[in-house]
C-alpha cells in the first residue's frame, strides 16, 4: 500500500496525461529517457521513506529551539537534507557543468512530491535553497554566481527569501528596510527587520544566503523603489569561501500551528550598523527579480499542498479498508459481522472527495511544471512564449486550488478516522496542521485572486485566457460525442466555460470604467472568481484523465488491478464535474451581478 504518493497515479499523470516523454525532443533533455526519469523518482521515494518520513512526527513534537546562542534542531533533519543534497536533488534542474542533471521541471516536481508528502517541514529547507539558486542563476552577476551558486547547489549553503516585515506583509510597497551605499566597498549597508522568514536561522548548512528586498536611499516610493540584495549570514570571498560573520541577528523564533520542522524567524539586519548586502541586477528592479522566486515558490506551495493532501488521503483510505464499524442501514441483524468503513456510503463520499481534490491538484501542478519546461527549453520561440503566458495566467490557480482543497481533503481524512483522526496516534491531524499554512504563505487566496482578476487575465489583451479557453474546448470537442459516456461531463464543462467567458467579459467592462469605486467593488468578489476559474480548470484536468482512462479500459490486455485504477479515475471525474463544478454558476452569478454585500458591510456593523 502506498503511503506517500500512488506511483501508479504518478505514472499515469506523467506518461499518459502529460506525455512527458515528448520533452525528450528538446535538446536540453535529449540525454534522458523514461528509464532515467523513473530511476530518479524511485530514488526519491526511497530517500523520502528512509530519511524524511521517520522523523516527521518527531520534528513536529520537538520543534526548533533558540537557546540564546544557536537554534537547536533534531539531528535527523540534517541527515535527511544531506542525503537529499548528496543525491543531487538540489541541483537536479541545473546544467551538467554546475553539477546538475538537466532534469525537466515536470520530473523534478514528481520527485519533490514524495519529500513534501513525507515531511514538509524538512523538505522546506532544500526547496527554498533551490528557488534561491534559480534566482541567482538568472539575475546575479557572474561574480555573484561564482561566489554563491556552486555552494547553494551542493547544499553547503542554504537560501531564504526575506520579504515580510512587521508592518508590511503582502503590501510590499510599504516595506521600510533600507539600503545605503557603503563608501568603503561595493556593498550596501542594510538596515531593517524581516519576519516569517522560513529557514532564516539554523545549523544545517555552513552559510545561509538571504535574498532581501530593501529600499535604496532616495528610491521612488512604493513597489517601483524596491531593490534586491544578497545578504549572507557569513560574508564570503570571490571564490565563495567563508569569512567573518555578517551583521544578521536572530531576534526570535515564531512558533506555528504546523510546519514546525522548518524554522520561522524574525531577523534583524544591521543591528550593529554593519550588515553588508550585495545588489542583484539593477536598482529598483528587485520586485521583478523576486517575482521569479515567488512564482516558483507559489507553484511549489501548490505541489506541497497537493502532496500533503495526498498523504492524508492514502492514510484515511488504508484505515477505512482495515477498520470495521457498523452495518448498512438495511441490515437489522445485530449478530451479523460489522463492515469495513469503506463499505459505508458516507465514508466513500469523503474518500472520493479527497481523491478528486488531491489527484486533480497533482495533475494541475504537474501540468504547470510541463508548461515551465516548454517555456524554458522548447526550441520554438512561439511555443516558449505561449507556454510562458499560460503558466503566468495559471500560477494563481496552481497556488490556490491545492492549498484550499487539499487542506479540505486533510480535514475529511480526519473525519474518516473519527475520534482517532483527532489524536496524534495517526498522522492525519499533523497533515491538516501542516497543510493549513499553504493557503496563507506566498500570497493568500485573496492575493492570488487579485493577481488573477486584477492583472493576469488582461495581460497581452487576454491572449492567455483565450488560449486556455481554446484548449479546454478542444478537449470538450473530443468527448462530446453521442457514443461517448463522457458526453454529460463535457456538456457540464462546456456550460461552465461559456459562463466563465461571459462573466469575464462583463468584469472587463467594469474594470475598464477606471472609476475607483467600481474597480474596488468589482475586485471585492475576486476570490469567488478565482474559485470558479480554478474549478473549471481542474474539471478540464479531470475530463482529460477520464477520457484517457476510458480509452485504456477498451484495451484487452488491461489487468484487473489496472481496470480498478482506471475505473477510479472515471468515478473521480464524475464526482468533481457533477458535484463540484456546478457551484461555479452560483458564484459567477454573484460576480456578474457585482453583488457587494461583503464590500458594503461597514466595520462598525460587525
Amino acid at each position: 500500500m502506498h503511503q506517500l504518493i500512488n506511483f501508479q497515479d504518478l505514472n499515469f499523470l506523467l506518461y499518459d496525461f502529460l506525455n512527458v516523454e515528448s520533452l525528450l525532443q528538446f535538446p536540453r533533455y535529449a540525454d534522458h529517457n523514461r528509464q532515467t526519469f523513473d530511476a530518479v523518482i524511485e530514488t526519491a521515494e526511497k530517500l523520502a521513506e528512509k530519511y524524511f518520513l521517520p522523523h516527521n512526527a518527531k520534528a513536529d513534537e520537538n520543534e526548533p529551539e533558540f537557546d540564546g546562542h544557536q537554534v537547536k534542531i533534531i539531528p535527523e533533519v540534517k541527515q535527511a537534507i544531506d542525503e537529499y543534497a548528496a543525491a543531487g536533488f538540489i541541483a537536479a534542474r541545473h546544467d551538467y557543468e554546475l553539477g546538475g542533471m538537466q532534469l525537466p521541471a515536470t520530473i523534478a516536481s514528481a520527485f519533490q512530491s514524495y519529500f513534501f508528502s513525507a515531511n514538509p517541514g524538512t523538505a522546506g529547507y532544500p526547496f527554498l535553497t533551490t528557488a534561491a539558486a534559480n534566482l541567482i542563476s538568472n539575475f546575479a552577476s557572474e561574480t555573484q554566481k561564482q561566489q554563491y551558486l556552486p555552494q547553494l547547489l551542493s547544499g553547503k549553503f542554504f537560501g531564504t527569501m526575506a520579504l515580510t516585515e512587521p508592518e508590511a506583509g503582502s503590501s510590499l510597497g510599504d516595506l521600510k528596510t533600507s539600503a545605503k551605499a557603503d563608501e568603503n566597498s561595493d556593498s550596501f549597508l542594510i538596515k531593517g527587520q524581516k519576519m516569517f522568514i522560513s529557514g532564516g536561522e539554523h545549523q544545517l548548512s555552513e552559510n545561509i544566503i538571504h535574498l532581501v528586498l530593501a529600499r535604496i536611499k532616495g528610491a521612488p516610493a512604493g513597489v517601483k523603489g524596491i531593490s534586491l540584495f544578497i545578504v549572507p549570514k557569513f560574508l564570503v570571498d570571490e571564490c565563495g569561501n567563508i569569512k567573518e560573520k555578517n551583521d544578521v541577528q536572530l531576534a526570535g523564533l515564531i512558533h506555528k500551528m504546523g510546519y514546525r520542522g522548518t524554522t520561522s524567524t524574525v531577523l534583524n539586519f544591521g543591528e550593529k550598523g554593519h550588515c553588508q548586502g550585495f545588489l542583484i541586477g539593477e536598482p529598483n528592479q528587485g520586485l521583478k527579480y523576486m517575482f521569479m522566486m515567488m512564482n516558483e515558490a507559489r507553484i511549489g506551495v501548490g505541489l506541497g499542498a497537493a502532496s500533503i493532501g495526498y498523504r492524508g488521503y492514502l492514510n484515511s483510505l488504508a484505515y477505512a479498508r482495515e477498520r470495521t464499524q457498523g452495518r448498512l442501514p438495511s441490515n437489522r441483524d445485530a449478530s451479523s459481522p460489522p463492515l469495513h468503513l469503506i463499505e459505508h456510503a458516507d465514508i466513500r463520499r469523503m474518500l472520493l472527495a479527497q481523491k478528486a481534490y488531491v489527484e486533480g491538484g497533482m495533475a494541475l501542478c504537474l501540468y504547470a511544471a510541463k508548461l515551465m519546461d516548454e517555456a524554458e527549453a522548447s526550441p520554438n520561440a512561439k511555443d516558449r512564449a505561449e507556454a510562458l503566458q499560460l503558466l503566468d495566467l495559471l500560477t494563481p490557480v496552481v497556488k490556490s486550488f491545492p492549498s484550499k482543497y487539499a487542506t479540505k481533503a486533510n480535514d475529511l481524512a480526519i473525519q474518516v478516522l473519527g475520534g482517532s483522526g483527532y489524536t496524534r496516534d495517526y498522522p492525519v491531524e499533523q497533515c491538516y496542521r501542516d497543510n493549513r499554512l499553504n493557503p496563507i504563505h506566498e500570497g493568500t487566496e485573496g492575493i492570488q485572486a487579485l493577481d488573477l482578476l486584477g492583472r493576469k487575465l488582461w495581460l497581452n489583451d487576454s491572449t492567455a485566457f483565450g488560449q486556455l479557453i481554446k484548449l479546454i474546448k478542444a478537449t470538450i470537442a473530443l468527448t462530446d460525442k453521442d457514443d461517448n459516456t463522457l458526453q454529460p461531463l463535457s456538456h457540464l464543462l462546456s456550460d461552465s466555460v461559456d459562463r466563465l467567458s461571459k462573466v469575464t467579459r462583463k468584469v472587463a467592462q467594469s474594470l475598464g470604467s477606471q472609476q475607483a469605486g467600481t474597480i474596488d467593488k468589482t475586485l471585492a468578489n475576486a476570490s469567488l472568481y478565482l474559485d470558479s476559474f480554478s474549478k473549471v480548470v481542474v474539471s478540464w484536468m479531470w475530463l482529460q484523465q477520464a477520457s484517457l482512462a476510458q480509452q485504456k479500459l477498451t484495451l484487452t490486455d488491461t489487468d484487473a488491478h489496472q481496470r480498478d485504477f482506471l475505473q477510479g479515475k472515471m468515478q473521480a471525474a464524475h464526482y468533481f464535474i457533477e458535484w463540484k463544478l456546478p457551484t461555479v454558476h452560483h458564484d459567477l452569478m454573484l460576480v456578474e451581478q457585482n453583488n457587494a454585500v461583503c464590500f458594503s458591510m461597514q466595520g462598525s456593523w460587525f
Side-chain angles (χ1 to χ4, degrees):
M1 180 68 187
H2 302 280
Q3 59 178 335
L4 299 178
I5 303 291
N6 183 345
F7 185 71
Q8 186 177 20
D9 181 37
L10 199 57
N11 249 11
F12 178 83
L13 293 176
L14 291 174
Y15 298 113
D16 295 310
F17 171 59
L18 293 173
N19 186 22
V20 75
E21 288 178 283
S22 65
L23 296 174
L24 298 174
Q25 65 184 309
F26 297 169
R28 180 169 181 80
Y29 308 131
D31 292 341
H32 295 294
N33 53 42
R34 179 165 179 167
Q35 287 69 38
T36 61
F37 290 166
D38 286 346
V40 168
I41 294 170
E42 288 167 9
T43 299
E45 181 180 23
K46 291 176 182 177
L47 288 183
E49 290 186 346
K50 183 175 181 180
Y51 295 104
F52 282 69
L53 183 61
H55 73 271
N56 187 41
K58 183 178 180 180
D60 181 69
E61 294 166 2
N62 300 273
E63 60 183 307
E65 294 181 353
F66 180 46
D67 63 6
H69 300 284
Q70 66 179 20
V71 173
K72 294 183 177 180
I73 300 174
I74 60 171
E76 290 91 339
V77 175
K78 179 169 175 53
Q79 181 185 14
I81 294 174
D82 286 348
E83 293 288 341
Y84 182 100
F89 286 132
I90 294 177
R93 291 188 57 214
H94 284 262
D95 295 346
Y96 296 133
E97 293 76 12
L98 292 170
M101 293 186 268
Q102 291 187 194
L103 282 174
T106 318
I107 299 301
S109 295
F111 78 63
Q112 188 63 37
S113 69
Y114 282 99
F115 296 104
F116 281 138
S117 178
N119 192 325
T122 295
Y125 295 103
F127 168 67
L128 287 165
T129 300
T130 298
N134 291 342
L135 187 148
I136 288 173
S137 177
N138 279 275
F139 299 114
S141 68
E142 289 303 316
T143 298
Q144 290 169 339
K145 292 177 186 178
Q146 292 172 13
Q147 288 176 298
Y148 302 106
L149 201 52
Q151 286 80 0
L152 286 166
L153 294 178
S154 67
K156 289 179 64 178
F157 294 0
F158 280 5
T160 77
M161 54 195 299
L163 292 74
T164 304
E165 299 181 2
E167 302 302 324
S170 300
S171 181
L172 293 174
D174 295 326
L175 66 81
K176 302 298 183 186
T177 298
S178 64
K180 179 183 177 182
D182 185 357
E183 298 176 355
N184 300 315
S185 70
D186 60 352
S187 68
F188 286 76
L189 296 177
I190 308 298
K191 180 76 172 178
Q193 186 179 80
K194 300 287 185 177
M195 67 183 302
F196 298 128
I197 310 306
S198 297
E201 180 57 40
H202 51 72
Q203 311 300 317
L204 301 171
S205 60
E206 296 178 17
N207 203 353
I208 304 175
I209 309 305
H210 305 289
L211 297 180
V212 179
L213 290 180
R215 196 181 303 280
I216 298 174
K217 185 176 180 180
V223 296
K224 294 182 179 180
I226 297 175
S227 299
L228 180 62
F229 298 87
I230 294 173
V231 183
K233 176 181 176 180
F234 292 98
L235 299 172
V236 302
D237 63 20
E238 60 274 8
C239 297
N241 299 309
I242 289 177
K243 300 192 299 182
E244 70 271 18
K245 175 96 167 50
N246 201 4
D247 186 9
V248 181
Q249 308 296 331
L250 175 66
L253 295 179
I254 298 168
H255 301 283
K256 302 165 293 179
M257 172 181 172
Y259 250 96
R260 294 176 180 173
T262 306
T263 57
S264 183
T265 61
V266 179
L267 299 177
N268 290 335
F269 296 90
E271 199 173 78
K272 301 176 182 177
H274 300 292
C275 178
Q276 289 186 268
F278 304 89
L279 180 67
I280 292 180
E282 298 296 322
N284 305 328
Q285 299 297 311
L287 201 56
K288 180 178 75 173
Y289 305 145
M290 182 60 85
F291 259 113
M292 177 193 172
M293 187 174 182
M294 289 170 64
N295 284 333
E296 183 176 342
R298 285 171 175 175
I299 294 170
V301 166
L303 177 68
S307 303
I308 299 169
Y310 216 130
R311 186 182 176 211
Y313 162 58
L314 292 177
N315 273 270
S316 65
L317 176 61
Y319 186 89
R321 292 189 189 280
E322 297 167 1
R323 169 75 167 170
T324 58
Q325 188 77 228
R327 296 158 189 83
L328 293 179
S330 60
N331 183 1
R332 298 178 181 275
D333 182 3
S335 64
S336 62
L339 297 175
H340 288 98
L341 285 178
I342 202 166
E343 299 301 322
H344 294 286
D346 200 54
I347 297 295
R348 291 183 182 181
R349 174 188 64 83
M350 291 188 284
L351 291 171
L352 188 52
Q354 290 182 69
K355 180 180 176 68
Y357 294 156
V358 303
E359 291 184 12
M362 188 66 70
L364 174 67
C365 293
L366 293 176
Y367 176 71
K370 191 181 181 191
L371 288 176
M372 193 181 301
D373 288 321
E374 293 170 350
E376 293 176 357
S378 173
N380 185 291
K382 182 174 180 291
D383 290 346
R384 289 198 305 272
E386 289 182 351
L388 184 59
Q389 285 182 345
L390 191 53
L391 177 64
D392 199 33
L393 174 69
L394 290 177
T395 294
V397 176
V398 177
K399 194 276 179 186
S400 64
F401 178 86
S403 295
K404 181 175 183 176
Y405 286 97
T407 304
K408 288 182 182 292
N410 287 133
D411 181 63
L412 289 169
I414 293 174
Q415 195 70 16
V416 169
L417 270 69
S420 295
Y422 197 63
T423 70
R424 295 184 183 178
D425 295 332
Y426 294 88
V428 291
E429 65 87 26
Q430 185 186 341
C431 287
Y432 177 82
R433 286 187 292 103
D434 286 342
N435 222 350
R436 190 58 188 83
L437 175 62
N438 288 318
I440 300 172
H441 67 161
E442 304 307 334
T444 63
E445 183 179 5
I447 295 297
Q448 304 304 320
L450 289 172
D451 186 33
L452 176 66
L453 192 58
R455 192 173 73 89
K456 293 285 179 67
L457 271 171
W458 321 115
L459 295 176
N460 301 307
D461 295 324
S462 298
T463 301
F465 181 68
Q467 180 186 353
L468 175 65
I469 298 302
K470 184 178 179 180
L471 289 169
I472 296 175
K473 287 189 173 182
T475 300
I476 292 170
L478 290 173
T479 54
D480 187 15
K481 299 174 182 177
D482 292 338
D483 61 343
N484 194 325
T485 59
L486 298 178
Q487 189 183 53
L489 301 187
S490 67
H491 284 184
L492 286 169
L493 181 55
S494 180
D495 290 344
S496 297
V497 169
D498 290 344
R499 188 82 178 102
L500 179 68
S501 298
K502 178 183 177 182
V503 172
T504 302
R505 291 192 294 270
K506 181 74 175 292
V507 170
Q509 294 173 1
S510 296
L511 294 178
S513 71
Q514 299 300 315
Q515 295 179 5
T518 301
I519 291 174
D520 292 343
K521 185 178 177 182
T522 301
L523 291 178
N525 288 330
S527 291
L528 284 178
Y529 182 89
L530 171 63
D531 192 65
S532 299
F533 190 104
S534 299
K535 285 176 179 173
V536 168
V537 172
V538 175
S539 293
W540 174 45
M541 300 282 129
W542 270 117
L543 186 58
Q544 292 177 80
Q545 292 185 71
S547 180
L548 288 165
Q550 185 182 63
Q551 294 171 33
K552 284 180 166 292
L553 282 167
T554 64
L555 302 177
T556 57
D557 61 345
T558 305
D559 61 30
H561 178 64
Q562 178 74 348
R563 291 186 70 83
D564 285 344
F565 169 77
L566 295 171
Q567 290 285 7
K569 281 290 183 186
M570 298 279 288
Q571 204 74 356
H574 276 279
Y575 172 82
F576 193 85
I577 296 173
E578 293 174 354
W579 285 49
K580 299 302 173 183
L581 180 60
T583 63
V584 308
H585 292 277
H586 171 267
D587 289 349
L588 288 175
M589 176 193 70
L590 296 175
V591 174
E592 183 180 38
Q593 295 177 351
N594 220 351
N595 187 310
V597 64
C598 299
F599 180 72
S600 58
M601 178 69 176
Q602 302 299 305
S604 60
W605 297 351
F606 284 99

